[in-house]
């Protein structure tokens, strides 16, 4: 298009400029059809919706010019191979939990969730304003990936146990479905970590092949019915004080995108992150009530289990930082903020929440319901 | 455009379809230049950035076809007239705190913040998944407005006091800069609420014209230097357990938008909401440290002040719901969720945070810094 003609058009006012600018718009809004492989089944509707919400925001804002088709775990590749399928270019994009890939490099976990790490709000603060996303994308560039946050579950539950845990000694010898860094920490407590797919957890618990299993939180856990075979429901899931979900985009595909599409993907990812957390925060309250009504026995992890797990986590972090400089660089940044953040959170936020929880227990919040 | 020709083009593959579709794209991406009047000065950079971030996301995603120019409080209309300027069509849009407009109708406050209401995460849960946004937009349609969330400050501080507050009796006769529903609640405790613009708070406290002033939280409060003239810094700001910021769009302007632009505005608002909360959560931790180092004396409100304020709030809500059915409809929905939400929050989220805060106090989180 002739630039002088465009500028003349612009001078004629908004409507004229709009119609003359059309070819330029078309160039910057190319038709794109991407595939996004999810690490999750559709039955985990809240978490699966992360990628679907992102795709919907992108498609609607581009009048359907940029579409992203989401495929459930297993439709293209198995859930735990989602990131590899993006690196290799099988698909342009995946939606996953980066903590699945600690076997490749422990640094992945720092994009998603680490034992005794940040909670959801402090994770977002560090990622978006504390330089976290930049540090992570430096690392992921080496993996052929570009990273966009896409969803958060909030703090998860500690999982389902067939027997009550009264002290750290009761953890010794326990066969527990738990993976990744949390599995390594649990090993130091004498737990024998087991890798079991979501659908196989219930029968394994039922026949006693395992003694315990971590999954997500009330809304997702209720669907699988664990309370019937392992009624002790422990909290908190100290390995997932938050779980930030991750979209990985093939780095070449990312770099080939028009700037407008890059910006839109980041905006849609941030919106999808807020939405997933809100979705869980809306669904979990009624789910925890149903679970308890149906026989789930809510228990806090004993303090010595928490402390032993915390100490074991530090030992794991010491081991990793001693040998993995990429991990250490991101970890040091995240941990420096962790200390500052949990100081401030004690003041306005925690004291407000505590007061409201006391009132909730007193029954004083019921008058509106 | 000839539909058969378009379909033939589409059959040729992505690139051809993209170029043939250009005129349709141009129609759905019209050139628009909107004005957004903010209720805030640029000096409140975190909160002001809410509208700027939304505008940036929209402009980038549309290659500059849809631009929103943000104007600081007072540049077009005074900050407290932002919503009226949208209703009247002076501007297409504003960025404000709906709680400013309780004089028009108390229902406005339910979009932003109410005494002993929801915290940030439960507010987002209720708004996005509990039907809150739909209920609010039913009400706002009657005001000629369409509402899109745009930012959250999180739980605020209780403000700055010249003298220590040891019991609810010390609140009696206090002249405090506080407005809206919180001012009405404070009146029941014997406080004399004062309406004072942000820039006038410091001199008023300094010369003793007022005894106390609420503002926002550490990051914003530090800039104004209140700790020099009213060193007691109370928490929590029970009238703002969260403050959800609000974009109001003139209803006719909203209805005239292409669907793609409507979708993009909502997506950009959700992203800006996540971002503002992350921005505050990143900045407040270092600010609270500076404030305490500079002489601010952190104090929790005494329990009898909290309880008396809670009871006074219920009395205010009883008065409003008895006479304002629009308020009652939205309030009942929000309060029903409040009770459920504070039950669930006690489990995984609160127990994880509590453990991490204990470790923070023990100095055990420092090794990463």
């Amino acid at each position: 298009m002739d630039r002088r003609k465009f500028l003349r058009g612009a001078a004629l006012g908004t409507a004229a400029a709009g119609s003359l600018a059309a070819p330029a718009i078309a160039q910057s809004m190319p038709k794109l059809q991407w595939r996004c492989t999810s690490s999750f089944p559709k039955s985990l509707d809240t978490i699966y919706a992360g990628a679907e919400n992102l795709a919907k925001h992108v498609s609607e804002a581009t009048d359907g010019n940029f579409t992203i088709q989401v495929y459930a775990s297993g439709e293209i590749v198995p859930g735990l191979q989602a990131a590899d399928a993006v690196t290799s270019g099988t698909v342009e994009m995946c939606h996953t939990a980066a903590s699945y890939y600690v076997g490749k490099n422990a640094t992945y976990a720092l994009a998603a969730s680490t034992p005794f790490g940040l909670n959801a709000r402090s994770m977002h603060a560090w990622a978006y304003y504390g330089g976290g996303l930049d540090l992570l994308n430096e690392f992921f560039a080496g993996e052929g990936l570009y990273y966009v946050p896409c969803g958060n579950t909030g703090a998860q539950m500690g999982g389902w146990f067939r027997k009550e845990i009264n002290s750290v000694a009761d953890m010794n010898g326990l066969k527990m479905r738990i993976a990744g860094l949390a599995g390594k920490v649990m090993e130091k407590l004498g737990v024998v970590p087991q890798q079991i797919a979501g659908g196989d957890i219930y029968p394994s618990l039922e026949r006693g092949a395992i003694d315990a299993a971590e999954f997500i939180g009330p809304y997702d856990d209720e669907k699988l019915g664990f309370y019937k075979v392992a009624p002790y429901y422990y909290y908190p899931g100290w390995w997932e004080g938050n779980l930030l979900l991750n979209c990985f985009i093939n780095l070449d595909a990312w770099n080939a995108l028009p700037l407008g599409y890059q910006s839109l993907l980041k905006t849609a990812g941030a919106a999808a992150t807020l939405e997933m957390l809100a979705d869980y925060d809306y669904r979990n309250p009624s789910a925890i009530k149903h679970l308890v009504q149906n026989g789930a026995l809510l228990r806090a992890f004993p303090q010595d289990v928490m402390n032993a797990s915390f100490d074991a986590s530090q030992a794991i972090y010491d081991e990793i930082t001693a040998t993995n400089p990429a991990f250490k660089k991101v970890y040091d940044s995240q941990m420096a903020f962790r200390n500052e953040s949990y100081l401030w959170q004690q003041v306005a936020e925690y004291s407000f929440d505590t007061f409201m929880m006391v009132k909730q227990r007193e029954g004083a919040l019921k008058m509106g319901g």
Side-chain angles (χ1 to χ4, degrees), chain A:
Chain A
M1 169 172 207
D2 176 63
R3 182 168 160 76
R4 282 183 308 143
K5 192 172 168 191
F6 172 76
L7 290 174
R8 235 182 7 256
L12 295 175
T14 302
S19 83
L20 281 170
I25 297 167
Q27 282 166 20
S28 59
M29 293 256 291
K31 280 263 181 198
L32 282 182
Q33 293 181 318
W34 276 15
R35 298 194 305 168
C36 173
T37 184
S38 171
S39 287
F40 312 103
K42 287 181 184 167
S43 56
L44 292 177
D45 56 343
T46 339
I47 206 164
Y48 189 80
E52 290 201 313
N53 285 340
L54 177 142
K56 181 168 172 281
H57 298 325
V58 168
S59 173
E60 288 182 356
T62 62
D63 293 315
N65 282 293
F66 186 3
T67 60
I68 298 165
Q69 178 74 38
V70 183
Y71 293 87
S73 169
E75 287 184 0
I76 299 177
V77 294
L80 301 181
Q81 293 168 29
D84 299 287
V86 177
T87 297
S88 68
T90 303
V91 291
E92 291 87 357
M93 186 170 167
C94 74
H95 185 234
T96 191
S99 39
Y100 291 159
Y101 310 96
V102 289
K104 292 159 67 84
N105 191 318
T107 314
Y108 273 86
L110 294 165
S113 166
T114 49
F116 299 102
L118 304 173
N119 63 17
R121 280 178 50 178
S122 53
M123 185 69 165
H124 302 162
W126 172 78
Y128 283 92
Y129 289 89
L133 286 182
D134 292 338
L135 280 173
L136 286 165
N137 266 318
E138 258 182 47
F139 166 74
F140 286 123
E143 306 282 300
L145 301 171
Y146 186 85
Y147 163 44
V148 172
C150 187
N152 202 317
T153 64
Q156 297 193 7
M157 290 293 285
W160 300 88
F161 290 68
R162 285 163 53 95
K163 293 186 184 154
E164 200 164 4
I165 302 295
N166 293 306
S167 78
V168 69
D170 292 341
M171 301 292 281
N172 193 36
L174 223 59
K175 282 177 282 182
M176 181 171 183
R177 187 259 184 188
I178 189 164
L181 291 182
K184 285 182 196 290
V185 174
M186 284 287 192
E187 271 185 316
K188 290 194 183 280
L189 271 59
V191 170
V192 186
Q194 312 281 316
Q195 298 249 26
I196 297 173
D200 297 331
I201 301 173
Y202 186 96
S204 301
L205 281 171
E206 189 176 31
R207 68 173 189 271
I210 57 174
D211 306 298
E214 75 94 30
F215 198 54
I216 302 179
Y219 176 69
D220 294 315
D221 293 10
E222 187 186 9
K223 285 185 263 184
L224 297 190
F226 301 134
Y227 61 90
K228 296 175 200 160
V229 288
Y232 296 97
Y233 195 23
Y234 276 89
Y235 62 87
W238 45 258
W239 49 94
E240 284 172 319
N242 89 113
L243 174 65
L244 186 57
L245 282 302
N246 319 97
C247 277
F248 290 123
I249 297 159
N250 179 278
L251 193 58
D252 293 333
W254 174 260
N255 288 331
L257 282 181
L259 293 180
Y261 280 4
Q262 287 186 349
S263 172
L264 178 58
L265 272 174
K266 290 192 277 189
T267 301
T273 299
L274 178 103
E275 288 162 347
M276 189 192 293
L277 190 56
D279 199 3
Y280 271 112
D281 286 344
Y282 184 70
R283 289 171 195 273
N284 278 328
S286 53
I288 192 85
K289 278 173 63 175
H290 300 159
L291 282 167
V292 170
Q293 282 158 5
N294 286 325
L297 301 165
L298 268 184
R299 295 286 185 277
F301 277 126
Q303 207 59 24
D304 71 339
V305 170
M306 292 295 289
N307 282 320
S309 303
F310 184 85
D311 293 342
S313 298
Q314 305 317 304
I316 295 285
Y317 290 135
D318 289 345
E319 291 168 25
I320 302 173
T321 51
T323 56
N324 185 336
F327 181 91
K328 186 176 189 314
K329 186 175 180 183
V330 185
Y331 174 80
D332 283 352
S333 164
Q334 199 175 84
M335 292 302 107
F337 181 63
R338 183 180 68 163
N339 185 44
E340 300 259 303
S341 180
Y342 283 116
L343 171 62
W344 156 241
Q345 289 178 48
Q346 293 169 49
V347 186
E349 205 73 48
Y350 189 79
S351 64
F352 178 77
D353 284 345
T354 301
F355 182 81
M356 295 305 287
M357 289 169 188
V358 169
K359 288 291 168 193
Q360 197 280 333
R361 290 191 180 197
E362 290 174 6
L365 303 188
K366 277 190 183 151
M367 84 296 167

